[in-house]
Amino acid sequence: MTGVAVVMAGAPPMVEAEVTEVEMGALTDRQIADYIATGEPIGKAGAYAIQGRAARFIPRIEGCYFNVVGLPLARVSAMLGRLQR
């Protein structure tokens, strides 16, 4: 879940949330240890990088892929577009 706020002088603030569900497959202890050994999960929210090696463990997502990576671009773009009306 990512919260997005757009604040601009002269306009009411917009605050929204984007929710994306990620299904992670069952992993063996060996797969977990091997993934940790790559160093990729260090410093990542949820301890995995969907755009990296962990992609092979994820059979499906429901929602915005970019939300999982870091910023729900379509939602942010739509919010900014509403400011221009």
Side-chain angles (χ1 to χ4, degrees), residues 13-75:
M14 288 183 275
V15 179
E16 298 182 12
E18 184 75 33
V19 178
T20 304
E21 293 184 25
V22 178
E23 181 180 325
M24 181 73 70
L27 294 134
T28 66
D29 289 344
R30 176 61 187 239
Q31 286 173 309
I32 294 168
D34 288 349
Y35 182 61
I36 291 169
T38 69
E40 184 176 87
I42 308 305
K44 304 283 191 300
Y48 73 96
I50 193 171
Q51 72 278 22
R53 291 179 172 111
R56 67 180 181 228
F57 306 130
I58 300 168
R60 72 178 197 86
I61 69 169
E62 185 174 321
C64 176
Y65 169 82
F66 295 103
N67 187 40
V68 180
V69 174
L71 184 67
L73 296 174
R75 181 173 295 270

